[in-house]
Amino acid sequence: TRKRQRYVEKDGKCNVQHGNVRETYRYLTDIFTTLVDLKWRFSLLIFILAYALTWLFFGLIWWVIAYSRGDLEHLGDHTWTPCVNNLNGFVSAFLFSIETETTIGYGHRVITDTCPEGIVLLLLQAILGSMVNAFMVGCMFVKISQPNKRAETLVFSSHAVVSLRDDRLCLMFRVGDLRDSHIVEASIRAKLIQSKQTQEGEFIPLDQTDLSVGFETGDDRLFLVSPLIISHEIDERSPFWDVSRGQLERDDFEIVVILEGMVEATGSGVGAARRREGAWSSWGRR
C-alpha cells in the first residue's frame, strides 16, 4: 500500500497548518474565539496568568499607596490612620488585593474612609475583577461545553463499496450513532478532494468537488436512530462516471464525509468528519 499524504486524518482532524501569516493582529480582534480555539494547556496558562497578574498589579498599587502615604513607617503607631489597616508590606498588599477581587473578606485587612485614592482603586479593582471573571469563566465554559467528544461516538464504516443498488451503480458506506441520545437535524455531505488541471492549464492542488448524497431528494437529512447506508449514485454528474476501477486504485484522491447536527441533550452543534482515500478497500459488482 502506498503511503499518501492526507488532507484530512482518519479521525476527522484537518492535516493543514497555516504558515507565513502576516496579519496576526486579526486574531486579537476576535480574542474570545482565539482563546477558545487554543489548546487546553495554553488556555489554562492564560486563565491562571489573567488572575495572577491582576492580583499582582493591584497588590503593587496598594503597596505604593501605603508607601507614599507613610503607612509603612507608622506600623506601630495607633494614633495613625492608614489607608488599609494591617497592611505591613507587599505580601499583605498582595493578599488584600486577592481578598478584594475575589470578595473573600476575611476582616483582618480593611480599607479606611480617610484614603480617597484607596476608595477609587477599590472601585476600579471591583469593576475590573468582575470583567476578568466574566471573560475568563465565559471562555472556559464555552471550551468545556464544546461537543468535540460527542463526535467520537459517531462511527463510520471502515470500508466503502461500489455496487449495484436498484440497478444503479452506487458508492456506499455506513454511519451510525452509538449513544442513546440522538443527533437532531443531522445532515451529511461528501467532498471529493483531488488535484485537478483545468482546460487552460491551471493546476489546482486541492480541488473540492461535491458528491451528491441525496441533497436533491432530501436523503441527506438523517434520522440517525439506527445505522444508515449513505449512497452516492455514480451517474453522468458524478466525478467517478468516467473512472475505471484500475484508475481509482492508481489515483490519489480523498473523499471527506461531514456529518453535522445538534446534540439532543444540550442543543449545541456537533460535527464529525471522516475521510476515505483512494483506492477503496472493497468493491462490489460493476
Side-chain angles (χ1 to χ4, degrees):
T1 303
R2 291 185 300 162
K3 183 177 179 60
R4 297 187 174 116
Q5 186 177 6
R6 296 173 176 173
Y7 182 70
V8 179
E9 298 291 344
K10 287 184 177 294
D11 58 358
K13 295 181 180 179
C14 294
N15 193 20
V16 177
Q17 295 181 354
H18 297 282
N20 196 24
V21 179
R22 298 180 180 179
E23 298 180 354
T24 56
Y25 67 90
R26 295 182 180 271
Y27 293 101
L28 299 178
T29 58
D30 188 13
I31 187 65
F32 186 84
T33 305
T34 301
L35 293 178
V36 172
D37 290 340
L38 288 176
K39 295 182 178 179
W40 267 108
R41 55 179 177 268
F42 297 116
S43 296
L44 292 176
L45 178 62
I46 293 176
F47 185 83
I48 294 172
L49 288 177
Y51 284 101
L53 293 178
T54 304
W55 296 336
L56 285 171
F57 173 73
F58 282 101
L60 179 62
I61 297 180
W62 285 113
W63 179 83
V64 169
I65 292 177
Y67 180 80
S68 61
R69 295 182 78 255
D71 295 343
L72 302 181
E73 300 175 359
H74 299 81
L75 294 179
D77 189 357
H78 298 286
T79 61
W80 179 266
T81 303
C83 183
V84 179
N85 289 327
N86 300 307
L87 194 152
N88 52 20
F90 177 75
V91 176
S92 60
F94 175 69
L95 293 176
F96 179 73
S97 175
I98 297 177
E99 296 168 11
T100 301
E101 189 166 329
T102 57
T103 64
I104 294 177
Y106 288 121
H108 183 65
R109 278 173 290 270
V110 60
I111 190 172
T112 61
D113 57 359
T114 60
C115 182
E117 61 270 29
I119 296 175
V120 173
L121 181 60
L122 181 67
L123 295 175
L124 181 62
Q125 185 173 5
I127 296 173
L128 185 60
S130 299
M131 295 175 61
V132 172
N133 286 332
F135 188 81
M136 297 310 302
V137 173
C139 287
M140 297 303 293
F141 176 77
V142 172
K143 193 171 184 64
I144 292 173
S145 61
Q146 285 181 331
N148 295 332
K149 297 302 180 182
R150 180 63 178 88
E152 297 296 329
T153 53
L154 295 173
V155 292
F156 292 77
S157 56
S158 300
H159 304 282
V161 297
V162 176
S163 180
L164 290 176
R165 169 180 272 193
D166 295 332
D167 202 29
R168 292 177 295 181
L169 196 63
C170 297
L171 169 67
M172 295 175 288
F173 57 91
R174 299 183 74 189
V175 60
D177 189 5
L178 299 180
R179 290 188 178 273
D180 294 332
S181 60
H182 305 311
I183 300 295
V184 183
E185 297 183 3
S187 62
I188 194 167
R189 295 179 293 130
K191 289 279 189 178
L192 172 66
I193 300 177
Q194 189 179 25
S195 299
K196 174 185 176 181
Q197 188 169 6
T198 64
Q199 297 179 358
E200 294 78 15
E202 179 186 1
F203 179 74
I204 304 176
L206 296 173
D207 182 64
Q208 298 185 11
T209 305
D210 280 323
L211 296 179
S212 176
V213 288
F215 177 77
E216 297 85 358
T217 60
D219 292 337
D220 63 326
R221 313 290 294 184
L222 307 180
F223 183 48
L224 202 59
V225 177
S226 60
L228 300 176
I229 297 178
I230 310 300
S231 176
H232 164 67
E233 183 179 350
I234 302 179
D235 54 12
E236 293 84 354
R237 297 174 299 174
S238 173
F240 297 120
W241 176 251
D242 296 326
V243 180
S244 64
R245 173 177 176 175
Q247 185 177 352
L248 279 178
E249 294 177 347
R250 295 189 303 269
D251 287 349
D252 289 333
F253 68 90
E254 292 183 24
I255 295 179
V256 179
V257 180
I258 305 170
L259 191 150
E260 298 175 321
M262 291 190 302
V263 181
E264 183 182 29
T266 62
S268 55
V270 61
R274 294 295 184 271
R275 59 170 296 282
R276 299 290 181 266
E277 64 178 341
W280 294 105
S281 301
S282 300
W283 278 79
R285 293 186 296 117
R286 184 170 186 179

